[in-house]
Amino acid sequence: MENFDSIICVGQTPWKGDFQKAVVQLMSELSVRHRILYVDYQYTLKDFAMGVIGRQDVPVQELMRLKNPLIKKTVDNGSEVFVWTPPLMLPINWLSDKPYDVLIRQNVGRMVKGLRRVMGELNMKKPLVINAFNPVFGLPMLHQLNEWATIYYCFDEITAATWISRHGNRYESMYLEQVNAIITTSEALRRSKSVQQPNAYCVKNGVNFDLFHQARQLAENRPPLKPIVGYLGTADNRIDLSLVEHCVQNMPDVLFQFVGEVNEPSIKQRLSVYTNVEFIPPHQPAELPALLANMQAAMIPFVCNEHTYTIYPLKINEYLAAGLPVVSTPFSILDDFDGVVEMAGNPVAFEQALRRALADTSAPRINERVVMARGNSWKKRAEEFEAVIEQL
């Protein structure tokens, strides 16, 4: 891989945050062998205003250039990543197609101008560009950075991503035909996108194994006080609420914990009335093992539709690294977990599967789950990602 001297990653995900992010984990692992420049979230004037009045966590001083927008961060594995805050962008997502197309080029032009300066400062001359689910910036950026190649890293179905779908779908369609390859996080996504980009590969989501395995070690020294079934991550319209409510009603002796943001109001409205449901706000990643250590089983109760069919959930390997038995609906292609994760497609079956999971405490079964998660670590996924790069 001597054809490029660095990797520049452009996405829509802030580097820091309250949850594990696929692109951040992947870049952290790739930084062991490559120089990484991560282009942070493209904050708009609206975001800036919210940050000034304290309504939103925004790097105000970096955006005003009162602080250096280029920061060198040391990640958990000891390697380093450069994170750059781009200049402020115009908030244009609400516009119709024609004015949007004009102004997105202005936004991208400002970012590229600053990015070239940073590349000069870091002596990056021939980068590999990885665009992480941001085709509206990716399309105008093509061939602007003297890049060796461009890979589109797609981890969701863009028509279902409300924050980008307004213009993202048509931009992605054009972008797919011009990038050198696409890497998706699920086999369903790979099949879908390969229609427009034949160089399509699947590198599934991984797990920060060392972090989440701490939950198993904590649980061994902490006898359970009550049976707890947990859900980790954002609770939104993917949740099969009727299925969950059935289980809550019919398992009153079990505490159901939702850890993370709740973006679908009906979830709290319907479930908060039950004394065996608890909502826990988002925690920093380092704080999650202590919460998982209190659980005896975990669930992924997603509805089955076109959107969820393209998902390979981060949480599935995080649960397994903690040694937890997992019950999921058959919402996607999850053949990798046959025999380890139990699938249940209706409320009664899901309840029965949860009861079996709570009793599934034998050491060999716990070890089986942990071994599977270890094989799906981000270190392993980074190696798979590099294997795709080798083929370009």
Side-chain angles (χ1 to χ4, degrees), residues 3-24:
N3 297 304
F4 60 94
D5 62 11
S6 55
I7 293 176
I8 295 178
C9 181
V10 183
Q12 287 207 62
T13 303
W15 182 267
K16 68 175 184 177
D18 290 335
F19 56 92
Q20 298 282 292
K21 304 169 184 179
V23 66
V24 170

Side-chain angles (χ1 to χ4, degrees), residues 163 188 225:
W163 71 92
L225 298 177

Side-chain angles (χ1 to χ4, degrees), residues 45-63:
L45 290 168
K46 180 181 176 182
D47 297 322
F48 179 77
M50 292 295 102
V52 169
I53 63 175
R55 295 277 299 276
Q56 192 174 326
D57 186 12
V58 173
V60 172
Q61 292 189 319
E62 286 84 351
L63 289 168

Side-chain angles (χ1 to χ4, degrees), residues 152-203:
Y152 179 39
Y153 182 44
C154 181
F155 43 80
D156 205 349
E157 173 50 55
I158 203 160
T159 57
T162 54
W163 71 92
I164 194 176
S165 59
R166 181 182 180 95
H167 299 284
N169 190 35
R170 63 191 180 92
Y171 269 75
E172 184 185 76
S173 181
M174 293 182 283
Y175 193 50
L176 279 171
E177 295 175 353
Q178 299 183 52
V179 296
N180 298 91
I182 179 173
I183 298 179
T184 68
T185 53
S186 75
E187 178 58 23
L189 265 181
R190 189 201 66 79
R191 294 175 187 176
S192 171
K193 306 306 179 183
S194 65
V195 174
Q196 288 182 275
Q197 175 49 257
N199 289 332
Y201 306 87
C202 177
V203 176

Side-chain angles (χ1 to χ4, degrees), residues 78-97:
S79 59
E80 295 177 337
V81 173
F82 290 97
V83 178
W84 178 63
T85 302
L88 280 168
M89 302 288 145
L90 296 172
I92 60 174
N93 195 50
W94 56 277
L95 292 171
S96 59
D97 291 357

Side-chain angles (χ1 to χ4, degrees), residues 15 20 26 47 67 70 76 82 142 144 159 175 192 196 205 216 256 260 268 279 310 358 363 378 380:
W15 182 267
Q20 298 282 292
L26 184 62
D47 297 322
K67 281 187 177 179
L70 180 65
D76 291 342
F82 290 97
L142 282 169
Q144 299 295 309
T159 57
Y175 193 50
S192 171
Q196 288 182 275
N205 282 324
R216 179 70 245 144
F256 288 80
K268 274 194 174 180
F279 291 96
T310 65
L358 289 168
W378 278 115
K380 177 74 161 47

Side-chain angles (χ1 to χ4, degrees), residues 17-37:
D18 290 335
F19 56 92
Q20 298 282 292
K21 304 169 184 179
V23 66
V24 170
Q25 294 293 312
L26 184 62
M27 291 303 119
S28 296
E29 290 297 335
L30 289 175
S31 69
V32 174
R33 291 171 294 278
H34 305 277
R35 297 180 72 210
I36 304 291
L37 172 58

